[in-house]
Amino acid sequence: MIPHAFRFGVVAGRSPDWAGLARRAESLGYSTLLVPDTLAPFAACAAAATATTTLRVGTYVLCAPLRHPQAVAWEAATLRELSGGRFELGLGAGRAHAEADAARLGLSFGTPGQRIEQVAATADAVEDVPVLIAAAGSRLLRIAAARAATVAVALPPNGTEAQLAARLDELYELAGDRFDDLELNVNVAAVGEELPAWLTARFGPPGDDAVGVLPGGPDQIVETLTRRRDKLGVSYVTVPADRIDAFAPVVERLAGT
């Protein structure tokens, strides 16, 4: 395993000062500002790119079943050009709530297999834009192994390091010679000792080895992330926008190393 340099992203659905949030992320050393598919992500990415000069912007993640692959490729190419090559496309097969979004748009959400094929078709349609694929099951891991630049290993916030390792072992077998080129991402739901109410209400108290939670101060978090990269290869970590300042000391110490 050849370790990738650390980089860090901020996931933000909404902000009363979107341009200010983008500039704040850039000034603190974050690599990316990422937009979930809960608002118009292409427009939000364009606005963030316009407000910054080095910050990369991306979708995290675009629900592939809601859009035609060629339409996504068109939008991605435009954003790549307008941002000076700073756009990254994150793709996923869609979670349960996306079915209601499909209904509102008059679209068929499709079977799980059809949605996974839509991810593959979209990744194939996109050119010259780095693609991140969020994957948990074997079928999406196979697609990510063949097509992605970055693989976001989809686990619930209370998912364990053992579960993460099992998925990465499978990805290793699927990717073969490509594995060392893949950037591995984990999304973090909580930073520090205070847990979001929604997290404990939905998942209960996380265990000590929950990969979606980073307890403690900067020293402990730096140690945890460095160990996970050395052991598992995870070098790209994304955090929610409300933890942008709390996590900044970690970014300052690890980004690019």
Side-chain angles (χ1 to χ4, degrees):
M1 180 187 299
I2 301 174
H4 291 244
F6 275 114
R7 70 174 183 143
F8 302 95
V10 178
V11 181
R14 279 178 171 81
S15 170
D17 181 9
W18 185 251
L21 174 64
R23 288 190 289 266
R24 181 71 176 155
E26 183 176 61
S27 70
L28 291 173
Y30 287 89
S31 174
T32 52
L33 179 64
L34 304 170
V35 187
D37 207 353
T38 53
L39 65 162
F42 291 123
C45 285
T50 300
T52 55
T53 57
T54 60
L55 185 72
R56 301 181 70 82
V57 297
T59 58
Y60 195 88
V61 291
L62 197 74
C63 180
L66 300 184
R67 297 166 180 84
H68 191 282
Q70 291 300 329
V72 175
W74 184 27
E75 296 275 8
T78 301
L79 269 170
R80 175 183 59 81
E81 180 176 348
L82 296 181
S83 67
R86 289 186 285 137
F87 177 66
E88 301 180 11
L89 178 68
L91 296 173
R95 295 183 177 178
H97 67 80
E99 188 167 6
D101 295 334
R104 281 196 298 271
L105 295 169
L107 301 172
S108 170
F109 193 52
T111 66
Q114 289 170 331
R115 298 199 302 274
I116 289 170
E117 286 305 312
Q118 189 84 344
V119 172
T122 304
D124 286 343
V126 174
E127 298 181 358
D128 301 323
V129 172
V131 174
L132 173 151
I133 293 179
S138 297
R139 286 182 291 180
L140 269 176
L141 283 171
R142 184 178 300 278
I143 291 167
R147 294 168 169 86
T150 301
V151 181
V153 184
L155 286 172
N158 61 347
T160 66
E161 285 195 14
Q163 291 171 324
L164 175 61
R167 282 172 169 76
L168 292 176
D169 284 345
E170 183 174 6
L171 180 64
Y172 176 83
E173 295 299 326
L174 293 168
D177 292 342
R178 285 198 80 228
F179 185 78
D180 283 342
D181 294 328
L182 295 175
E183 180 184 52
L184 304 178
N185 163 249
V186 166
N187 186 49
V188 172
V191 176
E193 299 304 329
E194 186 176 347
L195 299 177
W198 67 264
L199 190 153
T200 52
R202 183 174 177 185
F203 297 101
D208 293 338
D209 63 345
V211 295
V213 176
L214 291 173
D219 289 344
Q220 180 178 338
I221 294 173
V222 165
E223 181 181 352
T224 297
L225 294 181
T226 302
R227 177 179 55 77
R228 285 181 183 166
R229 185 180 64 172
D230 292 345
K231 178 182 177 182
L232 302 172
V234 176
S235 61
Y236 183 24
V237 179
T238 47
V239 300
D242 64 358
R243 307 311 293 162
I244 185 173
D245 291 308
F247 196 69
V250 177
V251 176
E252 183 178 13
R253 289 169 61 175
L254 289 182
T257 65

